[in-house]
Amino acid sequence: MTTRRGVDARRRRIVIGSAATAAAASFGLPTLHAGVPVSAEVDVHVELHAEPGEVSIRPGAPTRVWRFRGKLLRGAAGVLEEPAGSYVGPIIRVRRGQRIRIELVNALPESTIVHWHGLHVPDDMDGHPRFAIAPGARYVYEFSVANRAGTYWFHPHPHGRTGKQVYAGLAGLFLVSDDEEAGLGLPGAAQDLPLVIQDRNFNADNQFAYLGGEAGGDARQGGGMMGGGMMRGRMGGGMMGGGMGSMMAGMMGVLGDQILVNGGPQAGREVERRAHRLRLLNGSNTRTLKLAWSDRTPLTVIGSDGGLLATPLRRDYLMLAPAERVELWVDFGRWALGSEPTLRSLAFDGGVEMGGMMGGMMGGGGALRDGAAFDVHRFRVGGGAGRDEKLPTRLSAIAPPEPRQAVNFARPKVFELSMGMMAWGINGAGFDMLGVSELETVKLGTQEIWEFRNDGRGSMMGMVMPHSMHVHGLQFRVIGRSVARQFSRQYDSVKAGRVDEGWKDSVLVMPGERVRVLLRFEDHPGLFLYHCHMLEHEDAGLMRNYRVEA
Ligand SMILES: [Cu+2]
């Protein structure tokens, strides 16, 4: 029998090791290895290296990238999948209830830390920027997988440089399975297709162009960013030499004109005429997608950020903001042999507005504005019987949200997404590494209602931009939305593409929109982040802490 005390004692040792490593990084001391023995309880043990590399993405010169490389030290062979020839990855596959140990090794020329996006883990396992480790250092993560089956992911989270590091290539999927999901007989193996959608700009030398510099490569750009403010953040992002255009992109967000899926350009993919499960992640820094089939076949949605929905839903199109995931069930048997159904992103209003003066100030790249239409992924329907595989009508037991259980039911907390002098903020305040306000303090074991307001408070030249609000450490429910009348045209172009029915960790908040979410703070006291997942917004201050008090 595993005693409660045994687990706690072991965790305490890990915390000490991690904290010491983090302290070493922030003070520039030689790195300490946590040196925690790997207990027999650990089911999966992975060493995850963040390192520079090169991949051939387009004809011509290879692209210098930063990427994760995994090494499986314990666990079944299928746990770790390294996509060949791609910077995206690896895919880590685990089961709910498993004990996971992941050792991050920083082989980058700057500090980093990894966040497990969507996972319910203790605060020191969540990848808060206060735990960023120096080059050469190691951070030991160990946690039990508490989440439902679903499509989660991981990416860096150092303060002020998340945008640059993700753009350079650092992102992978973390797929959780469980017994409930296994009982459904959903398409598996080659019919379970993860698709990570990202946009990028390439310079003339085939390198990732980012804020006037290059995102990948070995060059050290910018110094330690711990506690840095917005302007230092932009410098750290490689803005030097980029001028006004890069400064604007660093504020508004970086939009690429090349669409990559799983790290590659549009090449098309052969699929059998049978049912598939598509797991879509919008891994773009800022671009929002409005996904639809090219022939307007309705989409069948079976899952979102926090796993399977209660029942499949039909949508003519789907909005997918940065960091959001959606799972589709599609029977390619409905299309004739040789046809090419294509996932497209349709045009919509109210995206990051880069036209006119802003467009002129943007400088290089960004030819494809936010809200423009483009192809995302083309499928070629190949062999197979054209089976009519039936999708279960009940997918998962999901209790309806109970807003009346919230301790602040009568007075939802308001979080105004604000813009000051060239800096984003929440209720007028930018990021503060350890800072947390009274409003941002919650009690363990309670539920609260938060309202994210995108009213354009303090906005520059009247611009109001969409945001993708993400809360760390938990999954929440969306319980209400409203929009100001003057934004109804933009809103109407996206509103039928919402999937608010399931568990969420990231939610699109359109211009003029107010979104109410119900959050439950359980199991883990401590300091967690909430922020916009448009990564340049996040790096420029649209991020704050919240504290869960025991
Ligand atoms: Cu934002």
Side-chain angles (χ1 to χ4, degrees), residues 484-530:
R485 185 164 301 162
Q486 69 266 35
F487 290 98
S488 57
R489 180 180 54 86
Q490 289 96 319
Y491 196 66
D492 287 349
S493 75
V494 306
K495 70 178 182 189
R498 309 288 199 189
V499 181
D500 287 343
E501 281 81 351
W503 291 97
K504 297 284 293 170
D505 57 53
S506 307
V507 64
L508 176 61
V509 188
M510 285 294 285
E513 192 176 20
R514 296 176 175 185
V515 179
R516 282 192 179 183
V517 298
L518 177 67
L519 312 109
R520 182 192 294 273
F521 310 100
E522 51 189 355
D523 304 321
H524 306 306
L527 198 65
F528 295 89
L529 296 168
Y530 70 104

Side-chain angles (χ1 to χ4, degrees), residues 466-468 532 534 537 542:
H467 297 289
S468 180
C532 177
M534 292 175 180
H537 299 184
L542 219 170

Side-chain angles (χ1 to χ4, degrees), residues 383-425:
R387 282 187 256 179
D388 182 26
E389 290 177 80
K390 285 280 176 271
L391 176 64
T393 51
R394 302 288 316 173
L395 297 171
S396 181
I398 297 183
E402 294 185 82
R404 286 181 178 280
Q405 301 296 315
V407 292
N408 66 337
F409 175 71
R411 290 187 52 200
K413 287 182 175 176
V414 173
F415 297 88
E416 189 94 41
L417 315 181
S418 60
M419 187 199 257
M421 279 301 293
M422 290 305 289
W424 292 103

Side-chain angles (χ1 to χ4, degrees), residues 71 146 155 264 282 293 327 397 418:
K71 196 157 87 179
H155 60 79
N282 184 351
W293 286 112
E327 296 191 22
S418 60

Side-chain angles (χ1 to χ4, degrees), residues 40 77 90-91 127 149 156 186 222-223 239 253 286 290 370 403 415 444 493 543:
I91 298 172
L186 293 173
M239 190 206 94
T286 293
K290 180 179 176 177
D370 203 22
F415 297 88
L444 189 68
S493 75
M543 177 160 81

